[in-house]
Amino acid sequence: MLKKKILNFFIKFFYLLKIKKNFIRRIKFDLGLNNILLIQQSIYGKVSDIQQVECKVFSQHGEDGIINYLLVKIGIIRPNFIEIGVGDYTEANTRFLYDRFYPKGIIIDCEKNLKEKIISNTNFWKGSLLPIEKNIDTKNINEIIANNCDFNIDLFSIDIDGIDYWIIDKLDLSNVKIFIAEYNPIYGADMEVTVPNLKNFNRKDYHYSNLCYGMSLMALNNIMVKKNFYFI
């Protein structure tokens, strides 16, 4: 009898915890949306610096606001996307877009039990979101996309703290409108540098400092110019 009561207590506790988690997520979304719409109405017509439109909702920094600004400017209302490197999707560049528009999207990460985690912290059923639990490399990335992507890609984001440069080099981005990638500021702005293309690259194992990963700003800019993008 006592065991049953304890079990019921924990079931109720975790149920209330889930309700609280969903409530906080909803409040965060609503506040973020209001902020972005306020910025959109007040300054989009007179932006002189991209930092003016920054706004963080679910992104790591102010990317949510910048993404919204770019989408408005090029006239994309419901952007389909691919994002590589999302963790459990509580913090990602496309999370706000998914919660707002429920477009088609593919998210790729080697996070364990990725799909279960995505289902638990999103309104998964409302859109067409495909989580792929995979450790990507230059040999499998195009195959993964070809086998799973049945839509035109409006926005592509990658942040894997590793061989990002070499993955980008392999990608066909000819129909992508917005591409988002992270550079490593440790390398400085004047050198074209990237880590080597090693399978199962792990920044913790590669160098004791944990700071040697990704690519420099110049390396990122140069490879994107070759793919007919310009830097913002």
Side-chain angles (χ1 to χ4, degrees):
M1 188 69 178
L2 180 61
K3 287 183 178 179
K4 187 175 181 181
K5 286 183 178 180
I6 293 173
L7 180 61
N8 287 335
F9 169 79
F10 278 106
I11 290 174
K12 289 179 181 178
F13 173 76
F14 286 115
Y15 177 71
L16 291 173
L17 194 65
K18 184 177 181 180
I19 291 177
K20 182 180 178 182
K21 180 181 176 182
N22 291 337
F23 177 74
I24 292 172
R25 188 177 72 230
R26 184 66 207 186
I27 293 296
K28 187 176 181 180
F29 171 82
D30 288 341
L31 289 174
L33 178 59
N34 287 335
N35 285 339
I36 282 180
L37 291 177
L38 183 62
I39 295 170
Q40 179 177 329
Q41 291 171 359
S42 60
I43 68 169
Y44 272 21
K46 50 185 178 182
V47 173
S48 58
D49 188 326
I50 198 71
Q51 291 180 320
Q52 292 176 270
V53 298
E54 286 186 357
C55 183
K56 171 182 168 61
V57 186
F58 295 115
S59 57
Q60 188 174 7
H61 300 293
E63 293 93 336
D64 286 322
I66 294 173
I67 291 168
N68 187 73
Y69 173 74
L70 296 176
L71 290 171
V72 168
K73 284 297 180 181
I74 61 180
I76 298 177
I77 298 173
R78 195 167 180 257
N80 298 322
F81 61 81
I82 292 179
E83 183 167 10
I84 304 173
V86 298
D88 63 1
Y89 210 45
T90 54
E91 184 177 88
N93 285 332
T94 60
R95 173 60 191 275
F96 177 68
L97 293 177
Y98 183 74
D99 280 0
R100 184 179 180 187
F101 300 113
Y102 298 108
K104 288 186 175 183
I106 296 172
I107 51 177
I108 307 171
D109 202 284
C110 57
E111 177 89 10
K112 197 171 182 180
N113 300 318
L114 178 64
K115 186 174 182 177
E116 289 79 3
K117 291 177 181 178
I118 304 304
I119 290 173
S120 71
N121 65 42
T122 65
N123 291 321
F124 185 74
W125 55 276
K126 283 191 174 183
S128 180
L129 185 64
L130 176 62
I132 299 176
E133 186 178 325
K134 197 85 173 177
N135 193 355
I136 64 162
D137 55 44
T138 53
K139 293 182 179 179
N140 66 12
I141 182 58
N142 285 321
E143 181 181 0
I144 291 171
I145 293 174
N147 290 342
N148 293 282
C149 184
D150 62 354
F151 53 83
N152 291 325
I153 306 165
D154 298 307
L155 184 146
F156 200 117
S157 177
I158 181 170
D159 180 5
I160 57 174
D161 290 347
I163 58 168
D164 305 53
Y165 177 91
W166 303 106
I167 299 294
I168 294 170
D169 185 49
K170 290 292 183 180
L171 292 172
D172 177 7
L173 302 175
S174 55
N175 293 314
V176 176
K177 287 81 174 179
I178 299 173
F179 188 84
I180 305 166
E182 182 184 59
Y183 67 91
N184 188 341
I186 296 295
Y187 298 142
D190 301 322
M191 294 192 298
E192 190 170 4
V193 180
T194 181
V195 297
N197 184 18
L198 300 176
K199 189 172 183 178
N200 299 320
F201 178 92
N202 185 303
R203 58 186 283 188
K204 295 178 182 177
D205 298 333
Y206 184 69
H207 194 269
Y208 68 91
S209 69
N210 201 26
L211 296 174
C212 192
Y213 63 90
M215 61 201 145
S216 66
L217 177 58
M218 183 180 287
L220 173 59
N221 185 59
N222 287 347
I223 195 170
M224 294 312 297
V225 167
K226 291 177 183 177
K227 292 180 177 289
N228 296 317
F229 284 78
Y230 60 88
F231 177 71
I232 296 179

